């Protein structure tokens, strides 16, 4: 009988080795995505055109100078009585910054208009943080107009655009403003909670005749606290002389901008858990490219070092500005020219002042 040929079986790799190889492949792919994004941002000056420059209005202010004189310095005149001011914001979870904002602006604002949803812009269910903490803002109760926006919970895997939900909420603000009695000629502030116009800016808007019908507000941009001053790049906040065509937005609306008009304190939270919430909740949540980005110890280290939470390069349109802003944000020991309510309550808001970078977990 002829010998049978020897049959060789195909041998598969051990399961642990397969899992390890798969993990290595996924890690490499993730690294490629991250570094390709960095390369793209680094070469942004080559592929993206800068926006048209703003026409800057110099901002004049000093203590003990009359409003008549300040208005005339700007080329405007003094009104016989002040305009009403409506401060309108879409609220997420920035309770400390909201307290600071409303105390700072209370003497000048006629109505604080606040809209909040039961979901984040990314479709994550969330509590109505303002409604649950309304007693904290009893000092402004008679000026507050608060309403709810019915959010939409994202379907897993649907990849819905968070900017669509954000746009719908901003559209709902238009109807709310009309319901609370805004009129032609009133001043409407359009900004995020953490974009705070200064009191001297509001006095100009209240009292000066001849101001542009729409002005962007140039804000001093801070990150994590007022210890880390980034630059003067914040421009999205706007002041409008309300009219029939006024539409609540958070985008470029005019070429005119009032210089040094307030403060923008990004990611200025008391607790690490609030950082995690915002990183996953706001419209740029896609920047959380790795799970460890949400590590409490990592976030704490980045807060105290002034480095970027998302490990991204600066969004600049020239190599000169890009290189200048690479690396950590320089610390500042100055607590001058900051909101008065912050300084008056320095013990309560230590985490927003120089030397206060350590945060509580919850």
């Amino acid at each position: 009988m002829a010998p049978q040929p020897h049959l060789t079986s195909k041998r598969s790799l051990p399961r642990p080795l397969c899992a390890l190889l798969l993990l290595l492949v996924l890690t490499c792919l993730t690294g490629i995505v991250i570094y390709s994004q960095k390369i793209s941002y680094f070469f942004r000056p080559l592929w993206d055109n800068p926006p048209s420059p703003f026409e800057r209005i110099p901002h004049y202010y000093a203590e003990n100078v009359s409003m008549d004189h300040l208005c005339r310095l700007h080329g405007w005149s003094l009104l016989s009585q002040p305009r009403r001011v409506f401060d309108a914001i879409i609220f997420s979870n920035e309770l400390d910054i909201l307290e600071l904002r409303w105390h700072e602006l209370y003497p000048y604002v006629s109505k604080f208009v606040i809209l909040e949803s039961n979901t984040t812009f990314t479709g994550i269910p969330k509590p109505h943080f303002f409604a649950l903490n309304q007693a904290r803002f009893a000092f402004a109760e008679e000026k507050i107009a608060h309403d709810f926006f019915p959010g939409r919970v994202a379907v897993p895997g649907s990849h819905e655009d968070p900017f669509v939900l954000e746009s719908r909420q901003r559209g709902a603000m238009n109807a709310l403003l009309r319901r609370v009695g805004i009129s032609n000629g009133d001043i409407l502030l359009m900004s995020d909670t953490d974009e705070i116009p200064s009191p001297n800016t509001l006095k100009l808007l209240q009292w000066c005749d001849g101001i542009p019908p729409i002005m962007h507000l140039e804000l001093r941009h801070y990150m994590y606290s007022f210890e880390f001053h980034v630059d003067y790049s914040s421009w999205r906040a706007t002041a409008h002389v309300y009219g029939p065509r006024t539409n609540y937005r958070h985008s470029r609306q005019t070429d005119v901008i009032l210089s040094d008009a307030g403060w923008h304190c990004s990611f200025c939270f008391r607790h690490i858990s609030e950082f995690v919430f915002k990183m996953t909740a706001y419209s740029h949540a896609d920047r959380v490219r790795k799970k460890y980005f949400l590590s409490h110890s990592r976030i704490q280290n980045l807060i105290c070092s002034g480095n970027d939470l998302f490990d991204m390069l600066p969004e600049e349109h020239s190599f000169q500005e890009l290189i200048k802003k690479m690396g950590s944000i320089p610390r500042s020991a100055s607590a001058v020219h900051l909101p008065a309510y912050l300084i008056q309550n320095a013990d309560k808001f230590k985490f927003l002042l120089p030397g206060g970078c350590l945060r509580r977990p919850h």
Side-chain angles (χ1 to χ4, degrees):
M1 186 175 181
Q4 296 292 321
H6 180 68
L7 299 176
T8 58
S9 61
K10 294 182 180 178
R11 298 183 61 188
S12 60
L13 292 172
R15 287 186 179 180
L17 183 56
C18 286
L20 179 60
L21 289 172
L22 178 60
L23 180 61
L24 288 172
V25 169
L26 291 174
T27 302
C28 290
L29 289 174
T30 302
I32 290 171
V33 170
I34 291 173
Y35 284 108
S36 66
Q37 288 175 327
K38 283 194 171 185
I39 292 170
S40 176
Y41 268 72
F42 184 81
F43 287 106
R44 184 172 189 161
L46 298 179
W47 58 261
D48 193 13
N49 294 320
S52 58
F54 280 107
E55 176 189 332
R56 298 183 178 276
I57 299 175
H59 189 165
Y60 300 94
Y61 178 78
E63 297 291 338
N64 304 316
V65 177
S66 70
M67 282 308 305
D68 178 55
H69 187 64
L70 289 173
C71 288
R72 286 191 286 108
L73 282 173
H74 290 84
W76 307 323
S77 58
L78 186 69
L79 289 165
S80 58
Q81 58 183 14
R83 297 182 180 93
R84 295 193 304 170
V85 177
F86 286 68
D87 179 37
I89 58 171
I90 291 173
F91 186 70
S92 178
N93 69 320
E94 309 96 331
L95 290 166
D96 284 304
I97 290 294
L98 183 64
E99 179 183 339
L100 178 60
R101 178 193 184 98
W102 281 4
H103 272 287
E104 194 73 8
L105 304 185
Y106 181 85
Y108 317 100
V109 169
S110 303
K111 190 70 72 175
F112 292 112
V113 186
I114 180 169
L115 183 66
E116 67 174 333
S117 177
N118 60 335
T119 67
T120 67
F121 291 153
T122 51
I124 301 171
K126 78 172 186 68
H128 289 121
F129 285 106
F130 177 78
L132 293 172
N133 293 274
Q134 202 155 353
R136 181 173 177 178
F137 304 93
F139 69 91
E141 184 177 4
E142 77 285 359
K143 293 187 177 185
I144 298 172
H146 171 239
D147 202 3
F148 301 100
F149 178 83
R152 181 176 175 180
V153 177
V155 177
S158 63
H159 304 293
E160 294 184 48
D161 187 350
F163 289 100
V164 172
L165 184 56
E166 180 178 351
S167 177
R168 288 174 184 160
Q169 288 196 41
R170 297 192 187 282
M173 178 63 82
N174 291 310
L176 177 57
L177 285 163
R178 290 190 292 270
R179 291 202 304 271
V180 302
I182 195 168
S183 301
N184 292 346
D186 292 335
I187 294 296
L188 173 59
L189 301 174
M190 301 184 190
S191 64
D192 285 348
T193 306
D194 57 7
E195 298 168 337
I196 308 174
S198 64
N200 42 292
T201 295
L202 264 64
K203 286 188 280 188
L204 289 175
L205 297 171
Q206 275 187 309
W207 282 101
C208 296
D209 191 21
I211 63 174
I214 305 174
M215 280 191 296
H216 282 280
L217 304 178
E218 179 190 68
L219 307 178
R220 301 184 187 197
H221 188 200
Y222 296 86
M223 188 66 68
Y224 311 139
S225 73
F226 292 98
E227 182 172 20
F228 294 100
H229 181 204
V230 181
D231 54 22
Y232 287 84
S233 64
S234 181
W235 56 267
R236 289 183 177 272
T238 48
H240 298 244
V241 180
Y242 190 82
R245 296 186 177 182
T246 303
N247 188 40
Y248 192 91
R249 291 161 52 193
H250 196 237
S251 55
R252 181 81 174 251
Q253 302 185 57
T254 180
D255 290 336
V256 179
I257 190 167
L258 179 65
S259 301
D260 200 4
W263 311 272
H264 180 187
C265 201
S266 298
F267 282 91
C268 290
F269 295 113
R270 184 185 298 271
H271 303 119
I272 300 292
S273 58
E274 294 173 287
F275 284 83
V276 172
F277 178 86
K278 180 168 182 177
M279 290 171 73
T280 57
Y282 82 143
S283 297
H284 295 290
D286 59 330
R287 294 176 177 178
V288 182
R289 300 183 302 274
K290 286 191 173 184
K291 190 174 181 179
Y292 82 86
F293 277 22
L294 303 178
S295 159
H296 281 211
S297 60
R298 175 185 180 272
I299 292 171
Q300 178 62 83
N301 289 336
L302 293 173
I303 294 169
C304 286
S305 63
N307 283 300
D308 188 73
L309 286 170
F310 303 99
D311 192 25
M312 293 177 63
L313 292 176
E315 299 181 61
E316 296 297 335
H317 292 89
S318 74
F319 287 114
Q320 181 181 6
E321 286 298 311
L322 176 67
I323 293 170
K324 185 169 71 173
K325 292 181 182 178
M326 287 177 68
S328 58
I329 306 165
R331 288 176 181 269
S332 171
S334 173
V336 180
H337 303 305
L338 297 181
Y341 184 75
L342 171 62
I343 303 303
Q344 291 163 356
N345 297 272
D347 287 342
K348 182 176 183 179
F349 294 103
K350 282 181 179 178
F351 70 99
L352 292 177
L353 293 168
C357 71
L358 293 178
R359 299 296 201 271
R360 300 172 186 171
H362 304 284

